[in-house]
Amino acid sequence: GAVVSQHPSRVICKSGTSVKIECRSLDFQATTMFWYRQFPKKSLMLMATSNEGSKATYEQGVEKDKFLINHASLTLSTLTVTSAHPEDSSFYICSASLGRGSFSYNEQFFGPGTRLTVL
Amino acid sequence: GESVGLHLPTLSVQEGDNSIINCAYSNSASDYFIWYKQESGKGPQFIIDIRSNMDKRQGQRVTVLLNKTVKHLSLQIAATQPGDSAVYFCAENIRGGGNKLTFGTGTQLKVEL
């Protein structure tokens, strides 16, 4: 159980185009989803926290107009990289959890990641 | 700022030896710690976790030790196998910080035959 999928696994796009990445919780309802980006040989950096039915909370330094996050249902969150540029090339990873961790930590289940390459 | 960090970026061990991967954290409000394994091109895979009210936890071939006095966390892998080759991250959750995780910088574990 607790499987999270991402689609696509790899995407190559031209500079200036927009790319949408989907994150799905396959066998549970995810109250909260997280989006991370990871550069080669670097750690995971949290971009934003997405709670179902509300606006995403972005980490400092992450452009909310650049990285649009939608969490319209309990099983799906999408990340849209708008007007992509080569510096947006990265590995994007989502995770999903059952709760918001208001009282104690609720486990995050990670997706397999999406490799974005912007030419 | 406060951060989670690792002492060694790369660790090479012989197959069959024990591996120890270290992690330092600086936030005294950290309440929960997790070790993840990440293979190339994949998402993080949960290995083992520990809460701040414990100092040791064991799993299958893995042990996590927590020293709150010096804010140090370690992952011990017994009888390291080639399949253990990956990058290992520690991550922390801060009490009252919701479900957010802060990841350390990672250690590349290389198992030599």
Side-chain angles (χ1 to χ4, degrees):
Chain A
V3 178
V4 176
S5 70
Q6 285 185 237
H7 178 79
S9 57
R10 289 177 177 271
V11 57
I12 301 173
C13 70
K14 293 182 179 179
S15 185
T17 62
S18 294
V19 174
K20 180 184 286 188
I21 302 170
E22 293 185 347
C23 176
R24 293 182 184 273
S25 56
L26 299 184
D27 50 4
F28 68 101
Q29 294 187 323
T31 304
T32 305
M33 288 185 170
F34 299 86
W35 287 96
Y36 298 83
R37 68 184 299 181
Q38 185 178 31
F39 292 107
K41 299 190 183 301
K42 297 292 184 182
S43 187
L44 282 74
M45 297 298 295
L46 180 64
M47 299 174 67
T49 303
S50 171
N51 291 310
E52 187 268 339
S54 61
K55 290 184 178 181
T57 302
Y58 290 81
E59 294 299 301
Q60 190 173 8
V62 178
E63 300 175 61
K64 55 185 67 176
D65 294 331
K66 172 81 172 169
F67 299 99
L68 301 179
I69 292 172
N70 182 280
H71 191 166
S73 78
L74 285 171
T75 59
L76 174 64
S77 177
T78 59
L79 168 68
T80 301
V81 182
T82 62
S83 187
H85 290 285
E87 58 265 30
D88 298 323
S89 298
S90 189
F91 193 51
Y92 292 88
I93 304 170
C94 74
S95 69
S97 64
L98 286 163
R100 302 188 183 203
S102 300
F103 300 103
S104 63
Y105 177 76
N106 294 118
E107 184 175 0
Q108 290 185 32
F109 301 98
F110 285 85
T114 296
R115 174 75 59 192
L116 170 63
T117 303
V118 185
L119 302 177
Chain B
E2 296 180 311
S3 65
V4 177
L6 289 170
H7 295 308
L8 296 172
T10 303
L11 176 65
S12 295
V13 299
Q14 294 290 321
E15 181 180 5
D17 287 352
N18 296 333
S19 302
I20 299 176
I21 300 172
N22 296 302
C23 179
Y25 67 97
S26 56
N27 195 328
S28 57
S30 296
D31 183 56
Y32 180 67
F33 304 87
I34 310 170
W35 280 101
Y36 288 97
K37 173 185 180 183
Q38 186 181 30
E39 296 175 313
S40 181
K42 297 184 179 180
Q45 175 187 350
F46 175 93
I47 300 174
I48 193 168
D49 59 358
I50 190 167
R51 292 205 174 273
S52 60
N53 61 353
M54 303 173 69
D55 53 21
K56 181 179 180 179
R57 190 152 190 244
Q58 288 184 290
Q60 188 174 16
R61 281 203 307 120
V62 294
T63 300
V64 55
L65 298 178
L66 176 62
N67 185 330
K68 294 181 287 294
T69 302
V70 295
K71 296 187 178 66
H72 183 268
L73 191 70
S74 69
L75 174 69
Q76 300 178 4
I77 304 174
T80 312
Q81 302 169 359
D84 295 327
S85 294
V87 178
Y88 290 80
F89 293 98
C90 66
E92 63 175 349
N93 175 253
I94 297 171
R95 190 182 313 120
N99 251 19
K100 289 171 60 172
L101 287 176
T102 301
F103 280 79
T105 53
T107 292
Q108 174 79 56
L109 177 64
K110 295 183 178 180
V111 181
E112 299 170 348
L113 302 178

